Amino acid sequence: MKETCLITDIQRYCIHDGDGIRTTIFFKGCPLHCQWCHNPESQCFLPQLLDNQGKCTGCEACEITCPSRAISLRDKKAYTNRDMCSGCGSCEEFCFQSLREISGRAYTVKQLFDEACKDEMFYQESGGGVTLSGGEVMAADIEFVLKLLKKLNRFGIDCMIDTCGLTAWDNFERILPFVHTFLYDIKVMDEQLHVKYTGVSNEKILTNLEKLSMAGARIYIRIPVVKEVNGSDDAMQDIISFIRERRIQAEKICLLPYHNTGSAKYARLGIAYQGELFHKPDTEELEHWKALFQQAGYPQVQIGG
Amino acid sequence: MEKRGMNERIQKLRQESVETQPCLDMERAKIETETYKRYEGELSIPELRAQVLYDYFAQKTLHIGEGELIVGEKGKAPLNALTFPELCCHTLDDMHMMNDRELIRFQVNDEDFEYQKNVIIPYWEKRSIRHKIVSSMTDEWRCCYENGLFTEFMEQRGPGHTAGADKFYYKGFAEIKAEIEDTIENLDFLHDIQASDKRDELRAMAKACDAIMLLGARYALLAEEMADAEEDKKRKCELLQIAENCRVVPAHKPKTYWQAIQTYWFVHLSVTSELNPWDAYSPGRLDQHLYPFYEKDVGAERLDDEKALELLECLWIKFNNQPAPPKVGITLKESATYTDFANINTGGIKPDGSNGVNEVSYLILDCMDEMKLLQPSSNVQISRKTPDRFLKRACEISRKGWGQPAFYNTEAIIQELLNAGKSLEDARKGGSSGCVETGAWGSECYILTGYLNIPKILELTLNDGLDPVSGKQIGPKLGNATDFKSYEELWDAFEKQMTYIIDIKIAGNNVIEKIYEKYMPVPFLSTIVYDCISKGKDYNGGGARYNTKYIQGTGIGTVTDSLAAIRYNVYDKNKFSMEELMQALKDNFNGHEQTWNLVKNHTPKYGNDDDYADAIMSQVFGAYANLVVGRPNMLGGTYQIDMLPTTCHVYFGEVMGASANGRLAHVPISEGISPEKGADVHGPTAVVNSCAKMDHLRTGGTLLNQKFTPGVVAGEAGLTQMGNLVRTYFNMDGHHIQFNVVDRRILLEAQKHPEDYKDLIVRVAGYSDHFRNLSRALQDEIINRTEQSFS
């Protein structure tokens, strides 16, 4: 087992994902590359630099401190050669304007447990707990994740797993006893579209979902709704047909309208944003799809969250 | 301006209240001066004070507004502010300033200037309490005061902060007067060396009872006269009912819900016309006081919820009609608002310990929601026994964004009161008045004496006791920053400086307390505070059952982060030297960008649930509490502490250079127990956890501001979790929490175009205010408070 895992963020007072007041731990690295992803820094499995070249005043402090000599000045602005950058973070502290930030810090199980316990009083009052998310938590070292889940369970902290579903079935089987609820994503049923927009097939994802449901897991199905990808009656009907035919026991369906708040991060990571083509579905449409799910026998449908 | 109010009557009255320009009203000052000239030397001082109230109520111009159901104005008309030259004799410059200033303006007319110049100033200038205080303070005290180490609450306003008990709902003033006369009868002139002082005081109290009864009788007559002339039948009927009400109360105990509200209002007018005490005599636990009357009237079908709500709305307008007395100088800076802090606590528990929420509690919430007025300060007490639906309704109003209601923790308040020596029953009758100050309502005189600028004490510590802003040697010489070889040495010097400053403050307070006891008794207030009558002693002279003095600590966030910045960067990590830091502070961090960056962005800070910083907060708090809590005061009680700012954090910031946490020179320090602006980056639960590491139960009140963007509290989940956040903080003994729910963008727009945002109300400290009425510095401070936008 790895001693540590890379974490992009630990967010407290999460009230729209899962139940109650929750602390969400975002693991770094994801096997999917959804084009609409609003946390692009969580895709890569290595530490990454987020900078903000536009605001750089060219003071050179970062250039001097970089041990990998990855930074040079171009047009009086710090330019980082990302191939040379090791993500060590030396420059972070020296940027007077706090424009440089490393995404991905190593945490031990104990450190994550301690962070999670900080809001215990809030979990208790609100019926909340911890959500392991990402990136993709199921793509992290499973022994590490298992150890963390066991520890949280032993000390009575509720755990949810927010997952895209792409992992060996064995991994789900092992963590199942320690997970209260799975927040399980379904993007789009058409396999070709799935490959086009996320980079991978959905076959395994759907099989895993079916198996999880058969194994008795408590599941919230979460559907990111992007107008151009799955924002149609047909696409929604496809999902409904699937979950009905496979008898997926979904406690709740969440329709998550696409938003572009993550777009600025792409530039900060030096990668191209492909999401300009995407749009948020109309509120009426969302309400309409909500009704479709309800008619199909899933009374708990939530828009957003 | 938007129209608010349940019907046309309320809408009209509210509009008048909101749109009228406050002005000075000299009638009281005139009558008082004549009374003093006639009786001074002849009557004992307590009796003279009662005579002033009596003469004012006998001669004052009365006012019954069109459509009003609850009657009585402090001045000649709504928004007329009385002056109290016996406390603070305004100079002509003061009056010009009040008239000319843009914010918190009071209109002054030519006649008033003339009268002030020819009559008031010549008579009162040297007799005023303000003059007596300033001329009897030591040089050390003056030096601390003038340079912003502390403020002084009593130099322009009387000791107050008290809130109403239930006495006058069960006893009319005729009965109270009889009780007083009985006590006089039973004085023991043979053995009791204070018997004659007691007689003077009790006679004064009896006279004060006459004063309020006279006011009621005059209003009854006026209402009758108006009814005679009234052609509208419905209004005629109302006026006759008002006349009937005023014939019953305040002389006798109220028989109906309507009369109960009216009698409270007469009491309010009397307390605040007698002197101008801080916090304007809140009705306190209004829902509990009114409920028996409500229940009886509803049972008898004399009253329904609509009518009960309408009468509450009429009372709300009455509060809003009374701007806080005009302030000047430092007192204005520490409390720059029209709000007079009558802080109503709704909910909580009953004296027997059971849940206190009743139908009137919900009507009060509906009333505050509908009225959206700055005054009264309408807040809720949340106990473990409070039903969730009440908390939820309160959150629903609070998330609308204008800061009311704030939330107080019943269990914490009771524990704080018990710790300070109150009986369980008295503690349960108590609450938080003013901003957040704990008191046993109806039986305690608890006086805020002034704010303490804790970050400035650190500034002195780093400069060998010298104030770098004024260049004056204020504190003892204990060495320069560079002389301290360890954090412990620095801490030791800081604690010694704090001891020195607090001793000066308390020595000054001791003198001031005696001045009030001797020259400014308040016989009326004494009639309604237990045990002034039985002791034969004045409220200002130790007559109350409990006597507490508070000093309010300000800037815990700034001082904690500054100490953390020094400990972490200079002593622990050697990131830079103390010389470098001192130079950076001197240069206001100009040319010291790297140092600024380190202290601002790479140092543990209070408000993030980080034990490194939070332990320092506890250390500062502990030292402060140890130095103040439990010390004896001059009235036989003890000192306690509060952690709150009103607007003083802006003033205290003005008088300071840059701080080690990266706060630039002259910008506001942190407010209440909230983290320094922008320092807290881990969301509201981290803030709450940090704040809960303070031992709230050792205080008499703490104030925590949280700013949310509307998205965080939107929807069912937003509402439910807001309630859970409050409950959890209170489970951890948090005393108070309040919310601003507004987009930063909107505040910036409102700053640019105040004319478009006349209705925008924000939470400041323990009160709400119109954004347009705040100084630029305070506006900026609120805009920069960390906005929690996690979702």
Side-chain angles (χ1 to χ4, degrees):
Chain A
M1 187 195 99
K2 284 189 194 164
E3 278 301 301
T4 60
C5 262
L6 280 185
I7 303 299
T8 58
D9 198 6
I10 299 175
Q11 221 178 75
R12 296 161 73 171
Y13 201 67
C14 294
I15 58 171
H16 297 296
D17 312 308
D19 304 336
I21 294 174
R22 310 193 71 83
T23 295
T24 304
I25 299 173
F26 294 89
F27 284 75
K28 194 155 173 13
C30 183
L32 271 61
H33 288 81
C34 304
Q35 291 184 11
W36 55 81
C37 180
H38 64 273
N39 282 325
E41 77 283 8
S42 67
Q43 291 183 1
C44 169
F45 285 86
L46 298 170
Q48 270 172 302
L49 171 78
L50 286 107
D51 66 3
N52 204 333
Q53 229 184 356
K55 290 184 181 166
C56 176
T57 55
C59 76
E60 298 181 8
C62 57
E63 186 189 356
I64 299 162
T65 50
C66 178
S68 312
R69 306 196 169 246
I71 307 171
S72 55
L73 233 56
R74 290 188 187 174
D75 297 330
K76 295 187 179 164
K77 286 187 187 300
Y79 165 79
T80 310
N81 182 337
R82 289 178 181 271
D83 294 335
M84 288 164 74
C85 171
S86 69
C88 73
S90 307
C91 56
E92 244 182 335
E93 185 173 290
F94 285 90
C95 177
F96 301 160
Q97 301 185 80
S98 297
L99 301 178
R100 305 177 74 84
E101 186 187 335
I102 296 296
S103 174
R105 288 188 193 285
Y107 280 83
T108 63
V109 166
K110 175 72 168 102
Q111 284 171 327
L112 289 177
F113 175 76
D114 288 346
E115 282 298 312
C117 285
K118 283 183 168 173
D119 281 355
E120 203 182 339
M121 297 272 285
F122 296 91
Y123 308 155
Q124 189 181 305
E125 187 64 41
S126 67
V130 171
T131 307
L132 306 186
S133 179
E136 175 52 53
V137 56
M138 298 308 292
D141 177 11
I142 199 68
E143 301 299 334
F144 183 97
V145 175
L146 194 60
K147 193 172 171 193
L148 177 61
L149 285 171
K150 278 185 181 170
K151 192 167 172 72
L152 289 165
N153 263 263
R154 180 183 297 276
F155 294 97
I157 292 183
D158 176 272
C159 297
M160 291 193 176
I161 290 275
D162 181 4
T163 180
C164 72
L166 186 59
T167 188
W169 165 247
D170 187 40
N171 290 339
F172 276 126
E173 207 168 22
R174 292 179 68 194
I175 65 163
L176 189 57
F178 310 103
V179 178
H180 181 260
T181 305
F182 287 88
L183 310 176
Y184 205 106
D185 277 16
I186 297 182
K187 271 89 182 190
V188 59
M189 294 309 296
D190 183 300
E191 189 183 356
Q192 280 181 343
L193 283 181
H194 203 279
V195 173
K196 179 179 170 192
Y197 286 115
T198 73
V200 299
S201 156
N202 58 1
E203 193 192 333
K204 198 171 194 177
I205 295 172
L206 298 174
T207 330
N208 280 342
L209 175 58
E210 201 180 337
K211 284 183 181 168
L212 262 186
S213 179
M214 276 173 50
R218 187 170 186 265
I219 299 167
Y220 291 173
I221 289 179
R222 292 155 59 90
I223 307 167
V225 189
V226 184
K227 200 165 193 168
E228 288 75 8
V229 180
N230 57 3
S232 67
D233 283 8
D234 284 351
M236 290 296 157
Q237 280 299 355
D238 285 350
I239 297 175
I240 291 171
S241 303
F242 171 78
I243 55 176
R244 282 187 63 166
E245 281 161 21
R246 305 297 170 92
R247 300 176 184 277
I248 308 286
Q249 300 293 322
E251 282 282 316
K252 192 155 88 170
I253 312 283
C254 307
L255 302 174
L256 313 175
Y258 164 78
H259 59 80
N260 65 354
T261 50
S263 58
K265 286 193 208 163
Y266 283 85
R268 295 193 64 198
L269 287 161
I271 45 181
Y273 180 55
Q274 295 164 296
E276 284 101 355
L277 309 168
F278 298 132
H279 292 90
K280 182 180 181 259
D282 302 330
T283 313
E284 302 81 60
E285 283 178 310
L286 285 163
E287 287 295 338
H288 169 59
W289 296 324
K290 177 178 172 177
L292 286 184
F293 276 96
Q294 285 171 330
Q295 284 156 18
Y298 298 93
Q300 293 283 357
V301 185
Q302 175 187 325
I303 296 174
Chain B
M1 286 269 173
E2 57 180 339
K3 271 195 178 166
R4 298 186 81 95
M6 65 188 289
N7 54 33
E8 207 180 318
R9 173 208 312 275
I10 303 293
Q11 284 168 11
K12 276 171 74 180
L13 289 168
R14 184 186 180 279
Q15 191 172 4
E16 178 191 28
S17 182
V18 171
E19 292 182 358
T20 305
Q21 167 61 46
C23 65
L24 278 200
D25 178 342
M26 305 279 286
E27 192 173 41
R28 179 190 176 281
K30 284 180 194 172
I31 294 168
E32 167 171 55
T33 309
E34 284 155 18
T35 303
Y36 259 76
K37 286 181 174 170
R38 188 159 160 212
Y39 294 108
E40 201 188 16
E42 179 187 333
L43 291 177
S44 70
I45 288 178
E47 289 169 286
L48 178 60
R49 295 304 307 162
Q51 189 69 42
V52 169
L53 186 68
Y54 185 89
D55 288 350
Y56 179 52
F57 282 169
Q59 296 168 43
K60 87 178 287 289
T61 309
L62 302 184
H63 173 91
I64 296 179
E66 206 188 314
E68 278 189 337
L69 298 176
I70 302 297
V71 299
E73 285 294 330
K74 223 190 300 186
K76 291 197 277 269
L79 284 307
N80 278 31
L82 308 183
T83 63
F84 296 80
E86 71 270 46
L87 293 183
C88 170
C89 177
H90 295 121
T91 64
L92 292 179
D93 279 351
D94 287 342
M95 289 175 75
H96 278 294
M97 213 184 321
M98 283 174 211
N99 187 48
D100 299 343
R101 68 196 181 200
E102 259 177 57
L103 301 176
I104 323 297
R105 176 173 177 257
F106 288 89
Q107 194 178 317
V108 187
N109 66 36
D110 293 344
E111 215 178 286
D112 298 336
F113 279 112
E114 279 304 301
Y115 195 79
Q116 186 79 5
K117 187 174 136 198
N118 299 328
V119 181
I120 301 290
I121 294 177
Y123 187 79
W124 288 106
E125 194 181 14
K126 299 237 163 107
R127 291 165 190 257
S128 78
I129 293 292
R130 193 182 195 199
H131 178 82
K132 288 189 172 77
I133 288 176
V134 174
S135 58
S136 52
M137 291 296 110
T138 60
D139 288 343
E140 289 79 14
W141 186 95
R142 243 189 295 271
C143 192
C144 287
Y145 175 72
E146 281 161 9
N147 294 298
L149 265 305
F150 52 66
T151 64
E152 175 45 57
F153 256 43
M154 250 61 76
E155 54 114 24
Q156 292 177 36
R157 297 199 63 175
H161 308 287
T162 190
D166 51 6
K167 183 173 181 178
F168 42 86
Y169 299 104
Y170 298 102
K171 248 186 192 183
F173 280 86
E175 267 181 277
I176 295 177
K177 188 181 171 192
E179 182 192 337
I180 294 165
E181 282 169 341
D182 240 25
T183 315
I184 298 175
E185 281 295 302
N186 291 316
L187 283 172
D188 179 0
F189 286 89
L190 189 59
H191 301 100
D192 184 353
I193 55 168
Q194 291 175 330
S196 71
D197 290 343
K198 288 179 182 172
R199 183 196 52 204
D200 293 347
E201 175 63 33
L202 288 162
R203 279 179 178 168
M205 289 189 209
K207 187 88 195 172
C209 292
D210 289 340
I212 190 173
M213 290 191 282
L214 178 60
L215 184 69
R218 286 188 66 209
Y219 268 107
L221 281 175
L222 177 63
E224 243 161 39
E225 276 169 35
M226 287 172 73
D228 280 347
E230 180 63 53
E231 289 185 358
D232 181 88
K233 270 192 182 154
K234 190 168 165 261
R235 182 61 183 156
K236 193 186 190 88
C237 234
E238 285 170 2
L239 284 164
L240 287 172
Q241 184 58 53
I242 291 168
E244 166 67 17
N245 289 347
C246 297
R247 225 170 271 117
V248 177
V249 298
H252 310 286
K253 67 181 179 190
K255 294 181 196 152
T256 64
Y257 174 87
W258 190 346
Q259 289 172 6
I261 295 179
Q262 182 64 61
T263 207
Y264 164 71
W265 188 247
F266 280 134
V267 170
H268 180 99
L269 292 178
S270 304
V271 173
T272 56
S273 301
E274 178 175 50
L275 219 54
N276 62 3
W278 282 99
D279 303 344
Y281 202 69
S282 153
R285 311 293 289 275
L286 188 63
D287 53 348
Q288 291 188 24
H289 297 161
L290 293 182
Y291 187 67
F293 299 99
Y294 166 88
E295 205 181 13
K296 200 172 88 185
D297 285 7
V298 169
E301 292 184 2
R302 271 196 300 265
L303 187 74
D304 58 21
D305 289 334
E306 292 292 300
K307 189 74 191 167
L309 180 61
E310 187 181 34
L311 287 165
L312 282 176
E313 294 194 353
C314 285
L315 175 65
W316 253 237
I317 289 159
K318 280 288 160 193
F319 277 106
N320 203 63
N321 281 351
Q322 323 298 326
K327 298 164 239 179
V328 294
I330 291 174
T331 296
L332 176 68
K333 288 187 173 193
E334 71 184 349
S335 181
T337 175
Y338 286 129
T339 295
D340 209 10
F341 301 98
N343 184 347
I344 298 174
N345 285 202
T346 300
I349 60 171
K350 293 193 272 198
D352 66 3
S354 60
N355 168 35
V357 173
N358 58 45
E359 285 127 290
V360 179
S361 318
Y362 286 96
L363 289 175
I364 289 177
L365 289 184
D366 289 346
C367 173
M368 74 173 86
D369 190 18
E370 175 75 51
M371 298 307 279
K372 199 180 174 186
L373 285 170
L374 300 185
Q375 301 200 78
S377 295
S378 312
N379 301 306
V380 291
Q381 264 194 35
I382 303 298
S383 120
R384 285 195 298 269
K385 293 167 187 160
T386 302
D388 274 340
R389 85 189 150 96
F390 181 76
L391 172 61
K392 202 167 169 184
R393 175 78 181 111
C395 287
E396 224 171 53
I397 302 167
S398 182
R399 77 170 170 182
K400 291 184 180 176
W402 53 288
Q404 286 189 20
F407 300 81
Y408 296 94
N409 180 357
T410 301
E411 278 77 22
I413 289 171
I414 290 171
Q415 192 58 53
E416 287 157 17
L417 287 165
L418 290 174
N419 289 349
K422 278 82 174 179
S423 75
L424 184 59
E425 194 189 337
D426 286 340
R428 284 172 172 167
K429 286 179 178 170
S432 269
S433 63
C435 286
V436 298
E437 306 86 274
T438 304
W441 289 347
S443 53
E444 183 172 14
C445 161
Y446 52 110
I447 307 301
L448 272 64
T449 66
Y451 296 104
L452 181 73
N453 191 346
I454 305 177
K456 188 149 183 91
I457 296 175
L458 180 61
E459 189 174 49
L460 295 184
T461 311
L462 295 172
N463 291 283
D464 198 18
L466 186 102
D467 174 15
V469 177
S470 65
K472 292 214 168 88
Q473 184 73 36
I474 295 176
K477 284 174 160 289
L478 301 169
N480 278 303
T482 47
D483 298 330
F484 307 130
K485 295 302 170 220
S486 65
Y487 176 74
E488 288 66 34
E489 285 183 28
L490 167 68
W491 173 263
D492 192 45
F494 173 65
E495 211 173 4
K496 284 186 177 130
Q497 293 286 359
M498 200 194 300
T499 310
Y500 176 80
I501 302 293
I502 288 173
D503 282 352
I504 292 176
K505 173 69 183 157
I506 289 181
N509 283 354
N510 288 346
V511 175
I512 293 166
E513 279 175 46
K514 283 289 164 194
I515 292 174
Y516 269 93
E517 181 177 0
K518 190 167 170 191
Y519 297 103
M520 280 302 139
V522 276
F524 181 78
L525 181 55
S526 305
T527 63
I528 47 172
V529 174
Y530 299 107
D531 305 317
C532 295
I533 295 175
S534 59
K535 287 194 205 168
K537 270 193 172 178
D538 193 83
Y539 175 89
N540 282 345
R545 187 172 301 163
Y546 309 105
N547 292 279
T548 303
K549 297 278 168 281
Y550 282 117
I551 298 177
Q552 309 95 261
T554 307
I556 190 83
T558 304
V559 72
T560 297
D561 290 354
S562 297
L563 284 164
I566 297 171
R567 184 178 207 174
Y568 186 81
N569 294 295
V570 176
Y571 297 117
D572 286 2
K573 304 271 177 194
N574 294 316
K575 296 270 181 187
F576 47 74
S577 67
M578 190 67 104
E579 284 83 354
E580 160 57 21
L581 176 66
M582 292 310 291
Q583 194 58 47
L585 295 182
K586 201 175 160 191
D587 298 341
N588 200 20
F589 290 102
N590 283 320
H592 303 267
E593 283 72 18
Q594 176 58 353
T595 306
W596 188 80
N597 176 42
L598 287 172
V599 297
K600 191 87 184 162
N601 301 316
H602 301 284
T603 298
K605 284 176 188 296
Y606 169 64
N608 295 295
D609 201 4
D610 177 330
D611 283 334
Y612 188 97
D614 295 345
I616 293 176
M617 179 280 291
S618 298
Q619 190 185 20
V620 176
F621 172 80
Y624 175 51
N626 289 341
L627 284 170
V628 179
V629 175
R631 285 171 78 150
N633 63 45
M634 300 301 274
L635 298 181
T638 57
Y639 271 91
Q640 305 291 333
I641 55 170
D642 280 315
M643 304 297 283
L644 71 103
T646 316
T647 60
C648 202
H649 57 297
V650 178
Y651 162 63
F652 278 171
E654 269 172 37
V655 298
M656 281 186 64
S659 325
N661 67 335
R663 177 196 144 273
L664 298 179
H666 313 305
V667 306
I669 59 173
S670 65
E671 40 77 24
I673 60 163
S674 311
E676 180 74 279
K677 290 156 293 296
D680 49 322
V681 294
H682 287 110
T685 59
V687 172
V688 159
N689 281 342
S690 274
C691 293
K693 290 176 200 170
M694 177 178 284
D695 190 353
H696 292 248
L697 303 182
R698 284 190 82 190
T699 72
T702 62
L703 183 145
L704 173 59
N705 262 308
Q706 281 273 277
K707 193 165 92 172
F708 282 130
T709 53
V712 183
V713 289
E716 193 57 27
L719 188 64
T720 308
Q721 302 317 342
M722 183 179 181
N724 285 329
L725 186 74
V726 172
R727 288 258 196 220
T728 309
Y729 184 46
F730 288 179
N731 286 343
M732 295 190 276
D733 293 340
H735 175 92
H736 153 280
I737 186 167
Q738 62 188 19
F739 301 93
N740 261 315
V741 184
V742 62
D743 258 323
R744 182 186 164 85
R745 198 173 40 81
I746 288 175
L747 295 178
L748 288 169
E749 272 303 296
Q751 206 172 34
K752 257 189 253 165
H753 305 289
E755 66 284 1
D756 298 341
Y757 291 89
K758 281 190 177 159
D759 286 326
L760 181 63
I761 298 175
V762 295
R763 194 73 179 166
V764 182
Y767 70 103
S768 295
D769 212 335
H770 282 289
F771 192 68
R772 61 185 150 84
N773 275 346
L774 307 178
S775 70
R776 176 80 192 197
L778 191 53
Q779 287 183 348
D780 287 342
E781 194 268 320
I782 289 170
I783 290 170
N784 292 327
R785 281 179 193 168
T786 313
E787 200 166 71
Q788 306 290 6
S789 63
F790 291 68
S791 57

